[in-house]
Amino acid sequence: MKKKHKKDKKAKKEKKDKKNKENGYSKDDLYLFELNDVHSASTPNIKNLPEEIVPLRPAQRSKSLDELREEAQEVTDIMMDNVVKIRDREGKLDDLCEKAESLNASTEMFQRTSVLIRRKQWWRNKKMTVLLIVVGACFLVLLTVVITLSASGSI
């Protein structure tokens, strides 16, 4: 019983392979499709599928080996150019990072210096204010003494 079942399966498979070869498809071409003996609404039918899904027939795949090598060489050249560009960008990025670090150090130094100068100026302003107040007070005291002496008639 098992032998008969295996023979039936083998015969069906050979029939299917023969039919696919007649249509121009090999086993490898039909990897997208699961062809069952029972066709339901969910099973795709190769004739009803859009062209972009259906694998190419052998006649349509006739690119020569030279054309494929040329394409591969073009892709290789493009990739090599991309690698060179990446290396250039990496070098530029390294330079940019160095400049950024230098700028950051300069910024910190500038900030420290500006704080010191601001404090120094603040003290100068306070000293000047105190000096003006002292000079003003001395002037007022001197003025008061002069007015008092002139009023008493000593001058």
Side-chain angles (χ1 to χ4, degrees), residues 117-128:
I117 291 172
R118 186 181 313 131
R119 287 181 186 159
K120 198 173 187 178
Q121 276 306 114
W122 184 81
W123 278 113
R124 277 190 187 162
N125 289 340
K126 290 300 172 189
K127 287 177 187 177
M128 189 60 81

Side-chain angles (χ1 to χ4, degrees), residues 132-146:
L132 287 174
I133 290 173
V134 168
V135 168
C138 289
F139 181 72
L140 283 177
V141 168
L142 193 71
L143 188 64
T144 310
V145 170
V146 169

Side-chain angles (χ1 to χ4, degrees), residues 31-43:
Y31 68 94
L32 293 173
F33 309 106
E34 181 74 31
L35 298 176
N36 297 328
D37 290 333
V38 180
H39 289 284
S40 66
S42 64
T43 304

Side-chain angles (χ1 to χ4, degrees), residues 25 28-34 44-57 60:
Y25 298 103
D28 297 333
D29 292 334
L30 298 172
Y31 68 94
L32 293 173
F33 309 106
E34 181 74 31
N45 186 349
I46 199 163
K47 292 177 183 175
N48 297 334
L49 291 173
E51 284 184 30
E52 58 268 5
I53 296 176
V54 177
L56 296 176
R57 293 187 176 179
Q60 295 171 325

